[in-house]
C-alpha cells in the first residue's frame, strides 16, 4: 500500500500548452496526467478561469497561474489544497527572486538551479526550506559574473556549508551578517479595492495594506516598530519573526528581522468611513437602439485625496463584443483600443484639478448586431505618493542588541487595487 | 552562458554522446554531462540508460556534482534496482561525512530509493542520523523514517524507529519537532488503528509549545494533528483555543485555515454563554475575510470552506456580506462561489444591497454567472419573505430584456416563487406567457408548463398553449413530457368539457408511444384514476402542495459536521467526506465534532444551531453502518397481510378493476375508448404490454436443466447507486430458487461490505443466505453471485404482484431498487395434479375466475410446447385433439400452495395460442400468463 503524501510531482506548462519542466519527488508520473488539465483549460476558454483543483481518476491536480505559467502539482491523497497552493506560490516567488523574473526562458536558462531548488524546497512531499535566506546559502543565485567565473575556475553554485539559520530558533536569519552601511527601510503600501456604482456611491471599499521592509543591518538586531495609530490595525497577518505577544499587549511590532527584503505585515482596513475614495468618474456610455453607434464620455477627477496629487492614472475598459472600434478624443494622455480583445486603455497620467482629463467620442458597433445589454465596468489605476490613505503612520523604530546607529527610512504610497466603477 | 545550452542535441545519438562525456577524465566535462542529463530529465526524456555511467560520477568531492547525481538517482533508482546497489557504499560512506550537509543529503537520498536491498543498508546510518548532533540532519532523518515506513513498515517497527521518532517530538529544535510530527502523522494515517500519535494533555502541551516556534509548514502539520485531539472538557478546549488563535494572524493562508479548523471543532465544546465564545466568534471573521484578498486560487479554496463555515455558524460572517461582492474580473470559479455565499448570508437586514448587486450581475457577460445570478434572485425571494415582491419585479424587469437565457432562468425561479407564496404573484402570468415561444431549454419549458397547468383556470387559452407543446411531444425531454402530462390532466380536471380530446391524446402519447417507463407509469396511473374515480383523481392531482423549504441545497447536518472536521482539505473543496472520493481510503475513520460538555447543555438557547450532540440524534441520511440492516427491515410500504395472502387480498383487487367503463361514465359515453389496438381485454392489456417489454429481451439463453432463465437485465444503474451497477435475473433449478446477480463497480473506489435485504413481498421471497462477496470489489471489476432464495419470508401483497423491492448496502451507501420476478420461479416440482382431481377442481372453480389470454407468434407444436413448459414445472395432464386443434390441460402449483389450472388451445394454422387459466386466486393468472409467454418464446 503506497500512501503517497503531499506533492507527488510538479509540471510547468506554458500558455501554448507545452510542458517545459517536470519534477517528481516520488515515482515518475506520466505527462499524460496533464491531459485532464488541458481538458479543463480548454473548457475554461480564458486562462484565468481554469479551476485550481481538478480531480482525475487517480490523482488530483492543484494548480496556480503565475506570470503566464501554470504550476500544476499532482497529488494522490487527501492533502490541504491551500498548503499546496501556498507552496506553489512560494516556488514561483523563489524563481522570481533568483532569476529576476519567473518566465519560461528564465527557468529553462537555469534549469539545473531550478532542479536543485525544487529538491531543496521539498523532501518526500514535505516543505523543507522555503525561506529565501536559507535557500540562497544552499544554492547561490546565478549572476553573470559568477557563471563566467564558474566556467573558468570550475567552482560551483552550490554552497558547501550548512546554512546557519537552519540551526537556530530564528530560521529566517543567518548569523554573521555584516554591512558597512546599516540601513532599515519600510514601505507602507496601501491598495484600495472598491466597487463604485453607476450613481457614484461606494458599494464596497476596503484597504489592503502591507509593510514591505528592506533591512540591511549587521549582527542580530532586535527591532521595535511602533505606530501613531495602531488601533487601525485590527486585522493583520504577521511575518513569523514578529513576537505576537508584544503586539497583543503593547501594539508594538517587535522582531529580529530577516536579512534583506521581506513583507513584515499585511493588513486590511474595511471600516467604510475610513476608506477614502481619492477619485471620482463621470461617465456616459450609451448605445443607440437600431443604430450601429454609441456615445462614450468619461471624465476623471480628484476627490478625497488629502491634498496630494493623484498620478499614474490609467483606465481600462472591456468593451462589449459588438464594439468594432472607437473614435475618441482625449484632453490629456493617450488612448488605445484593441479591436481583438475589445480592451480600451486610457493612459491619463497626473490629474490636475484645474483641467480635468476627459475622453469622449463615438463607439462604432458591428452593423446589424443587437444593442449590447451589458454595461462595461471601468477599471481605474492610480498612485498617490507619500500618503497612506488609511492614515496609518509609523511613530518610531528602535533597535536593541547592536551598538551601531542605523539609517532609518519610511515611505508611504497609496495605489488602486481592484478599483472598479460600474456604468 | 545559460543552461539552455544543455537542451541542444546533436545528430549523433544523444545518449551515446552523453555516455562518452560522462566517462570523460575531465571533471568539468563530467559535470557538464551530468547537467545535460538532468536537463533531459526535466522535460521528461528517458535517460535511464545512462544509469551506470551517472552512478560512476558519484564518488566525488564536488558537492554540486554529488547533488546532481543524487537527483538523478532519486528519479531512476526504482526502475534500475540492481544498479542502485552500486551506489550503496558511497551512501554509507557519506552518512559518516564530517559535513552535516552531506550526511543529511545521503540519508535523504537513500530514503527516496525504494529498493529493498538499499533499505537494509539504510537502517544503521538512519539510526545514527536520528541522534545526530546537528538538527539539520535530525530533521532530515525524521522525514526519512516516514519514507522507510512507506517501503517497509515492519522494518521500521522492528528497528524501534517509531519510538525514536516519538522522542523527537520533545527535541530542542522546533524544526525537528515539526518534521517529526509530519512524519508521525503520515505514518499514523496509513495505520489508523495504531496509537502512534498518542495525544494526551502532556504531548498536546509539547505540540502547542512547538507551534509557536517552528516553520509555517510545521505549524500546519501540528495544527492538523491538534484537530484530531479530543479535549477532556470545555476548560481544556478553551485553553487550546487560546493558544491557537494567534495563528489566525499568520501570513500563510494554509496555517490560518488549519487554525480555523481547530477552533471550529473545539468551539463545539464551549458553552455559548461564555464570554470567550463570543470573543472567539469575533476573532474568526477577520482572518477568513483576509483570505479573500489573496491570489484567486487561494480565494477559491477559502470560499469553498467559508461556504461550510457559514452554514455551520452563520453568525461569524453575518456582517461581512460586502466582501463577497463580485468584481467583474474575478475568475468565474470565484464568482460562482461568492454568489453562493451571498445567498447564504442574505437576510432581511441586507437584502436590499444583495438584490441591487444581483441585478447588476444579471447584466454581465458570462452566461453561467448570469444564470446563477438570476437564480439567486429567486432564492432571495424564497428566503426573505419581505423581499419577495421586489425580487419578482426585478425578475420581470429581467424578462423584459428578452435576453433568451435570462428569460428562461427567470421563469424557472418564478415557478418556485409561486410555490412558496401561492395566490400572490399570479398577476404576472400574462407576462410570462408572452415568452412562451422563446423557451428552448427543458427546465424552462417544464417550469412554464407547470405554471400553465397549475393556473389553468386563470389562463383563458391554457388548452391552446398546452396543445402547442403537445405537437412535438416526442422530441421533448422526459422532464417536459412528464410535466406536460400532468399539466394537461390538471387542465382536464379543471375544465373537463373542452379538453377531453387533449387529455385522451396525451394519455395515449404517454402510454402507447413512449419507451420511458416513468412516463408510461404516470400515464397509466392518471388513466386509472380518471377512469375509476374522478373525485379521487382531483384529490390526488390537484392536492395541496407542501410548501417548499426556505434554504435550498443546504448540506445535510451530519455531513456538515463531518466536513467541518475536514476544513482545509480536499474534502472541504468537494463538500464530500474523504471516504467518498479518496482512493484507498478504506481505513479512513469518520471524524465527528466533539460533544458539548459540562453544564452548558441546558443553558443553551433553544433557537441556537444544533450542537453535534443533538445532531447525532436527528435521523441521518446515511445511517451508521452497523444499523443498516436493522433499518432495512423498516422499509415496508403498507400494512402487513396476515393469513392466506392472496385470498385475503382478492377483494381489493376487484375494486381496482381497470378500464371497466370508468372513464366512459366520466365522459358520459362520449366515445372515449381505450386507445391502441393492443388492448384486448381487462386489466391485462396496458400493463401486460409494459411487462411484455421487460421479458421480450431476446438473446442470451439461460436454459440449463432447470426452468427458463431470462437474460440478465440492469436492475440498478450505476448512475443511481454511486457507481454500483447491479444486473440480474432469477432462476429455479432442482427445487431451489436463486437470484443471479452481477455486481459491477463503476466507481473509482473499492467497494466492500455488501449486504442485501428484501422488502416483504407477495410470496415471502427472502434471501436464504447472506450476500457473500468474498473480496472487496475493485474499480471496474464485476462479480457474479448466485443468491439462494427461500419463500419463508414475511408476506405482503405487492402491486404488481411479482414486484420485489430490494435494498443493497455497501461501504458507500444503501441503494434501493425494485424488480419484477417471473412467476415461474415459484412453480414447484410437485405441481402435477391427478387427472380426476384436475377435472373436479376445474369444475369447482367458478367461471368468473377464468381468465383468457393470447400467446401470439408462437410456432411450436403441441409436443414441443408441452416439453418446454415441463422444464419450468408446468405439467401437461392431458392432451386432446378437437377439430384439428390441440388442447393441452395443464397444472402448476405455486410455492404457497396455490394451484393454477390451464387449458392451452393450439391451432396448427394459427401462431396465436389461447390460454385459459383457472385459479382460486385469480389475480395470479395475469402473471402466470406472462410466465407462459416468456417460457414459450425463449
Amino acid at each position: 500500500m503506497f500512501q503517497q503524501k503531499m506533492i507527488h510531482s510538479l509540471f510547468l506548462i506554458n500558455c501554448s500548452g507545452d510542458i517545459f519542466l517536470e519534477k517528481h519527488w516520488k515515482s515518475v508520473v506520466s505527462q499524460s496526467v496533464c491531459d485532464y488539465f488541458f481538458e479543463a483549460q480548454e473548457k475554461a476558454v480564458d486562462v484565468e478561469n481554469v479551476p485550481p483543483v481538478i480531480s482525475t481518476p487517480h490523482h488530483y491536480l492543484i494548480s496556480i497561474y503565475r506570470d503566464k505559467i501554470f504550476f500544476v502539482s499532482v497529488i494522490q491523497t487527501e492533502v490541504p489544497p491551500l498548503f499546496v497552493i501556498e507552496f506553489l506560490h512560494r516556488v514561483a516567488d523563489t524563481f522570481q527572486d533568483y532569476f529576476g523574473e519567473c518566465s519560461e526562458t528564465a527557468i529553462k536558462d537555469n534549469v539545473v538551479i531550478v532542479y536543485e531548488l525544487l529538491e531543496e524546497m521539498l523532501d518526500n512531499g514535505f516543505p523543507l526550506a522555503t525561506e529565501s535566506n536559507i535557500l540562497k546559502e544552499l544554492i547561490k543565485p546565478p549572476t553573470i559574473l559568477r557563471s563566467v567565473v564558474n566556467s573558468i575556475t570550475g567552482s560551483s553554485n552550490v554552497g558547501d556549508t550548512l546554512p546557519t539559520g537552519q540551526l537556530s530558533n530564528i530560521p529566517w536569519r543567518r548569523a554573521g551578517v555584516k554591512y558597512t552601511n546599516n540601513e532599515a527601510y519600510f514601505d507602507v503600501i496601501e491598495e484600495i479595492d472598491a466597487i463604485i456604482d453607476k450613481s457614484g456611491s461606494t458599494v464596497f471599499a476596503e484597504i489592503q495594506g502591507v509593510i514591505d521592509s528592506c533591512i540591511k543591518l549587521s549582527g542580530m538586531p532586535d527591532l521595535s516598530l511602533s505606530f501613531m495609530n495602531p488601533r487601525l490595525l485590527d486585522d493583520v497577518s504577521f511575518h513569523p519573526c514578529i513576537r505576537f505577544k508584544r503586539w497583543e499587549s503593547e501594539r508594538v511590532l517587535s522582531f529580529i528581522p530577516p536579512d534583506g527584503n521581506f513583507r513584515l505585515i499585511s493588513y486590511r482596513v474595511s471600516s467604510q468611513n475610513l476608506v477614502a475614495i481619492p477619485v471620482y468618474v463621470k461617465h456616459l456610455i450609451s448605445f443607440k437602439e437600431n443604430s450601429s453607434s454609441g456615445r462614450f464620455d468619461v471624465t476623471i477627477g480628484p476627490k478625497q485625496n488629502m491634498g496630494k496629487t493623484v498620478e499614474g492614472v490609467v483606465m481600462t475598459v472591456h468593451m462589449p463584443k459588438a464594439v468594432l472600434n472607437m473614435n475618441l478624443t482625449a484632453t490629456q494622455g493617450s488612448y488605445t483600443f484593441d479591436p481583438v480583445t475589445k480592451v480600451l486603455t486610457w493612459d491619463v497620467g497626473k490629474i490636475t484639478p484645474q483641467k480635468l482629463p476627459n475622453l469622449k467620442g463615438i463607439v462604432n458597433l458591428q452593423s446589424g448586431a443587437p444593442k449590447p445589454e451589458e454595461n462595461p465596468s471601468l477599471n481605474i489605476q492610480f498612485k498617490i505618493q507619500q500618503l497612506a490613505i488609511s492614515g496609518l503612520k509609523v511613530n518610531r523604530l528602535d533597535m536593541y542588541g547592536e551598538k551601531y546607529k542605523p539609517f532609518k527610512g519610511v515611505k508611504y504610497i497609496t495605489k488602486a487595487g481592484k478599483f472598479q466603477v460600474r456604468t | 552562458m545559460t543552461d539552455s545550452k544543455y537542451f541542444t542535441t546533436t545528430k549523433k545519438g544523444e545518449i551515446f554522446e552523453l555516455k562518452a562525456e560522462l566517462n570523460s577524465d575531465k571533471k568539468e566535462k563530467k559535470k557538464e554531462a551530468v547537467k545535460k542529463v538532468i536537463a533531459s530529465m526535466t522535460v521528461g526524456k528517458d535517460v535511464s540508460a545512462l544509469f551506470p555511467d551517472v552512478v560512476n560520477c558519484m564518488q566525488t568531492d564536488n558537492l554540486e556534482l554529488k547533488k546532481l547525481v543524487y537527483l538523478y538517482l532519486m528519479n531512476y533508482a526504482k526502475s534500475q534496482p540492481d544498479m542502485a546497489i552500486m551506489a550503496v557504499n558511497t551512501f554509507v560512506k557519506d552518512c559518516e561525512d564530517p559535513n552535516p550537509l552531506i550526511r543529511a543529503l545521503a540519508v535523504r537520498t537513500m530514503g527516496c530509493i525504494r529498493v529493498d536491498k538499499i533499505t537494509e543498508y539504510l537502517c544503521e546510518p538512519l539510526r545514527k542520523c536520528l541522534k545526530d548532533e546537528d538538527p539539520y540532519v535530525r530533521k532530515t532523518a525524521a522525514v526519512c523514517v516516514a519514507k522507510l515506513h512507506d517501503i517497509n513498515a515492519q522494518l521500521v517497527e522492528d528497528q524501534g524507529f517509531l519510538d525514536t521518532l516519538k522522542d523527537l517530538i520533545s527535541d530542542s529544535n522546533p524544526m525537528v519537532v515539526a518534521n517529526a510530527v509530519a512524519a508521525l502523522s503520515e505514518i499514523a494515517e496509513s495505520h489508523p488503528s495504531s496509537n502512534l500519535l498518542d495525544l494526551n494533555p502532556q504531548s498536546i502541551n509539547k505540540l502547542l509549545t512547538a507551534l509557536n516556534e517552528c516553520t509555517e509548514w510545521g505549524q500546519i502539520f501540528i495544527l492538523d494533528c491538534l484537530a484530531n485531539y479530543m479535549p477532556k472538557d470545555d476548560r481544556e478546549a478553551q485553553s487550546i483555543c487560546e493558544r491557537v488563535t494567534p495563528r489566525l494572524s499568520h501570513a500563510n493562508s494554509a496555517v490560518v485555515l488549519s487554525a480555523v479548523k481547530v477552533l471550529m471543532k473545539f468551539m463545539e465544546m464551549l458553552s455559548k454563554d461564555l464570554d470567550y465564545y463570543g470573543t472567539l466568534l469575533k476573532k474568526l471573521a477577520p482572518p477568513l475575510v483576509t483570505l479573500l484578498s489573496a491570489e484567486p486560487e487561494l480565494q477559491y479554496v477559502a470560499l469553498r470552506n467559508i461556504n461550510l463555515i457559514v452554514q455551520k455558524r452563520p453568525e461569524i460572517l453575518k456582517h461581512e456580506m460586502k466582501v463577497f461582492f463580485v468584481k467583474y474580473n474575478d475568475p468565474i470559479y470565484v464568482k460562482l462561489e461568492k454568489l453562493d455565499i451571498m445567498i447564504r448570508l442574505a437576510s432581511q437586514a441586507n437584502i436590499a444591497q444583495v438584490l441591487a448587486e444581483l441585478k447588476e450581475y444579471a447584466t454581465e457577460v458570462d452566461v453561467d454567472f448570469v444564470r446563477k445570478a438570476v437564480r439567486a434572485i429567486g432564492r432571495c425571494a424564497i428566503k426573505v419573505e419581505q423581499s419577495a415582491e421586489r425580487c419578482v419585479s426585478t425578475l420581470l424587469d429581467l424578462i423584459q430584456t428578452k435576453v433568451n437565457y435570462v428569460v428562461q432562468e427567470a421563469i424557472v425561479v418564478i415557478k418556485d416563487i409561486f410555490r412558496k407564496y401561492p395566490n400572490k404573484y399570479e398577476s404576472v402570468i400574462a407576462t410570462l406567457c408572452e415568452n412562451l415561444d422563446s423557451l428552448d431549454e427543458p427546465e424552462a419549458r417544464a417550469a412554464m408548463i407547470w405554471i400553465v397547468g397549475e393556473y389553468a383556470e386563470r389562463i383563458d387559452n391554457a388548452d391552446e398553449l398546452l396543445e402547442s407543446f403537445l405537437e412535438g411531444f416526442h422530441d421533448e425531454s422526459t422532464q417536459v413530457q412528464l410535466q406536460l402530462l400532468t399539466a394537461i390532466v390538471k387542465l382536464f380536471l379543471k375544465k373537463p368539457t373542452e379538453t377531453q380530446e387533449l387529455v385522451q391524446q396525451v394519455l395515449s402519447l404517454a402510454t402507447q408511444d413512449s419507451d420511458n417507463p416513468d412516463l408510461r407509469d404516470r400515464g397509466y396511473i392518471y388513466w386509472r384514476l380518471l377512469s375509476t374515480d374522478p373525485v379521487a383523481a382531483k384529490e390526488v392531482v390537484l392536492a395541496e402542495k407542501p410548501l417548499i423549504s426556505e434554504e435550498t441545497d443546504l448540506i445535510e447536518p451530519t455531513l456538515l459536521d463531518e466536513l467541518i472536521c475536514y476544513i482545509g482539505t480536499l474534502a472541504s473543496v468537494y463538500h464530500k467526506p474523504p471516504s467518498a472520493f479518496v482512493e484507498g481510503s478504506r481505513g479512513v475513520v469518520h471524524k465527528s465534532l466533539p460533544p458539548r460538555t459540562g453544564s452548558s447543555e441546558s443553558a443553551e438557547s433553544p433557537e441556537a444551531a444544533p450542537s453535534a450532540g443533538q445532531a447525532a440524534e436527528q435521523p441521518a441520511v446515511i445511517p451508521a453502518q452497523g444499523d443498516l440492516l436493522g433499518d432495512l427491515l423498516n422499509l415496508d410500504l403498507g400494512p402487513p397481510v396476515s393469513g392466506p395472502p392472496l385470498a385475503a387480498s382478492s377483494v381489493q383487487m376487484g375494486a381496482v378493476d381497470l378500464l371497466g367503463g370508468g372513464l366512459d361514465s366520466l365522459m358520459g359515453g362520449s366515445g372515449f375508448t381505450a386507445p391502441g389496438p393492443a388492448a384486448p381485454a381487462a386489466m391485462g392489456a396496458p400493463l401486460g404490454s409494459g411487462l411484455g417489454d421487460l421479458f421480450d429481451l431476446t438473446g442470451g439463453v439461460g436454459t440449463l436443466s432447470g426452468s427458463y432463465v431470462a437474460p440478465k437485465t440492469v436492475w440498478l444503474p450505476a448512475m443511481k447507486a454511486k457507481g454500483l451497477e447491479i444486473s440480474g435475473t432469477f432462476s429455479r433449478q432442482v427445487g431451489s430458487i436463486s437470484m443471479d446477480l452481477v455486481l459491477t463497480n463503476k466507481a473509482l473506489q473499492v467497494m466492500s461490505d455488501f449486504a442485501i435485504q428484501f422488502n416483504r413481498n407477495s410470496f415471502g421471497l427472502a434471501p436464504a443466505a447472506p450476500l457473500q462477496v468474498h473480496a472487496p470489489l475493485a474499480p471496474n471489476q464485476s462479480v457474479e453471485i448466485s443468491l439462494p432464495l427461500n419463500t419463508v419470508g414475511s408476506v405482503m401483497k405487492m402491486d404488481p404482484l411479482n414486484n420485489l423491492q430490494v435494498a443493497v448496502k455497501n461501504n458507500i451507501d444503501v441503494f434501493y431498487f425494485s424488480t419484477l420476478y417471473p412467476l415461474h420461479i415459484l412453480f414447484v416440482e410437485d405441481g402435477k395434479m391427478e387427472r380426476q382431481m384436475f377435472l373436479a377442481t376445474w369444475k369447482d372453480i367458478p367461471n368468473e375466475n377464468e381468465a383468457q389470454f393470447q400467446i401470439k407468434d408462437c410456432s411450436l407444436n403441441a409436443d414441443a410446447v408441452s416439453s418446454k413448459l415441463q422444464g419450468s414445472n408446468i405439467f401437461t395432464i392431458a392432451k386432446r385433439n378437437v377439430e384439428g386443434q390441440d388442447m393441452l390441460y395443464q397444472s402448476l402449483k405455486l410455492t404457497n400452495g396455490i394451484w393454477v389450472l390451464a387449458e392451452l388451445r393450439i391451432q396448427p394454422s394459427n401462431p396465436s395460442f389461447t390460454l385459459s387459466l383457472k385459479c382460486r386466486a385469480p389475480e395470479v393468472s395475469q402473471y402466470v400468463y406472462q410466465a407462459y409467454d416468456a417460457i414459450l418464446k425463449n
Side-chain angles (χ1 to χ4, degrees), chain B residues 255-327:
Chain B
V255 175
V256 174
L257 205 55
S258 286
V260 169
K261 166 164 60 188
V262 175
L263 296 174
M264 282 294 286
K265 209 175 160 186
F266 290 2
M267 245 178 129
E268 205 57 41
M269 295 181 71
L270 302 177
S271 156
K272 291 196 169 175
D273 301 335
L274 271 174
D275 287 344
Y276 183 69
Y277 181 86
T279 318
L280 203 50
L281 276 184
K282 274 197 207 104
K283 280 194 173 165
L284 276 168
L288 289 173
V289 172
T290 301
L291 292 177
L292 299 181
S293 54
E295 287 82 0
E297 300 93 359
L298 294 168
Q299 278 187 50
Y300 171 72
V301 177
L303 285 165
R304 291 296 284 172
N305 280 283
I306 289 173
N307 200 327
L308 294 174
I309 292 167
V310 161
Q311 288 183 62
K312 179 74 189 162
R313 299 195 181 280
E315 62 271 35
I316 294 177
L317 288 168
K318 67 177 175 207
H319 298 303
E320 302 288 350
M321 169 65 88
K322 286 188 174 179
V323 298
F324 299 103
F325 285 0
V326 171
K327 304 200 176 78

Side-chain angles (χ1 to χ4, degrees), chain B residues 463-506:
Chain B
D463 50 344
E464 281 168 37
L465 293 177
L466 293 177
E467 198 171 359
S468 68
F469 281 104
L470 208 53
E471 279 159 20
F473 189 78
H474 289 298
D475 303 326
E476 298 285 3
S477 72
T478 312
Q479 189 185 11
V480 179
Q481 289 177 332
L482 286 168
Q483 205 54 261
L484 195 52
L485 172 61
T486 305
I488 291 178
V489 171
K490 281 181 188 164
L491 173 69
F492 172 67
L493 289 168
K494 288 173 178 174
K495 302 179 181 174
T497 44
E498 308 128 55
T499 54
Q500 292 163 15
E501 223 169 287
L502 199 58
V503 77
Q504 194 172 352
Q505 207 181 338
V506 76

Side-chain angles (χ1 to χ4, degrees), chain B residues 186-231:
Chain B
E186 177 176 344
I187 295 172
E189 212 159 297
S190 59
H191 286 257
S193 52
S194 73
N195 203 13
L196 258 187
L197 280 162
D198 179 27
L199 296 176
N200 53 48
Q202 288 75 40
S203 62
I204 288 293
N205 201 31
K206 271 185 211 160
L207 289 179
L208 285 168
T209 311
L211 183 61
N212 289 328
E213 288 166 1
C214 71
T215 65
E216 47 197 320
W217 313 109
Q219 292 184 14
I220 298 169
F221 287 117
I222 292 179
L223 287 167
D224 286 348
C225 182
L226 280 175
N228 290 328
Y229 177 64
M230 190 72 80

Side-chain angles (χ1 to χ4, degrees), chain A residues 5-181:
Chain A
K5 269 287 101 63
M6 297 309 176
I7 299 168
H8 196 294
S9 302
L10 173 70
F11 293 94
L12 300 190
I13 301 173
N14 64 19
C15 279
S16 27
D18 306 318
I19 303 171
F20 65 92
L21 186 114
E22 60 182 74
K23 165 82 184 140
H24 308 275
W25 280 273
K26 296 241 174 168
S27 49
V28 178
V29 176
S30 157
Q31 286 194 351
S32 61
V33 76
C34 293
D35 291 349
Y36 294 97
F37 177 80
F38 295 134
E39 210 173 282
Q41 194 183 8
E42 210 163 295
K43 222 186 276 169
V45 188
D46 259 348
V47 281
E48 282 89 3
N49 287 340
V50 182
V53 184
I54 298 169
S55 72
T56 80
H58 299 287
H59 302 93
Y60 294 90
L61 304 179
I62 298 184
S63 63
I64 63 164
Y65 180 65
R66 277 264 304 250
D67 303 302
K68 303 205 166 126
I69 299 172
F70 285 102
F71 291 70
V72 182
S73 63
V74 181
I75 58 171
Q76 216 161 26
T77 47
E78 179 60 271
V79 149
L82 276 190
F83 183 106
V84 180
I85 294 173
E86 278 278 2
F87 179 78
L88 293 178
H89 278 294
R90 217 57 69 84
V91 170
D93 291 343
T94 307
F95 291 167
Q96 172 83 35
D97 191 27
Y98 263 71
F99 314 129
E101 56 167 4
C102 177
S103 68
E104 183 180 352
T105 336
I107 291 170
K108 276 186 169 164
D109 283 351
N110 297 287
V111 70
V112 174
I113 295 187
V114 165
Y115 237 56
E116 288 169 345
L117 279 173
L118 290 175
E119 191 56 38
E120 209 53 64
M121 291 178 83
L122 207 66
D123 178 18
N124 196 42
F126 302 136
L128 202 59
T130 52
E131 287 284 341
S132 112
N133 281 294
I134 294 169
L135 283 172
K136 281 189 178 157
E137 283 184 63
L138 286 167
I139 299 150
K140 297 203 179 79
T143 59
I144 294 166
L145 186 65
R146 185 173 305 120
S147 56
V148 173
V149 171
N150 280 359
S151 58
I152 295 166
T153 63
S155 68
S156 77
N157 55 0
V158 169
D160 53 8
T161 51
L162 198 58
T164 46
Q166 290 269 7
L167 305 176
S168 71
N169 285 359
I170 37 171
W172 56 84
R173 188 172 181 90
R174 60 194 171 98
V177 180
K178 253 205 152 80
Y179 288 100
T180 41
N181 295 321

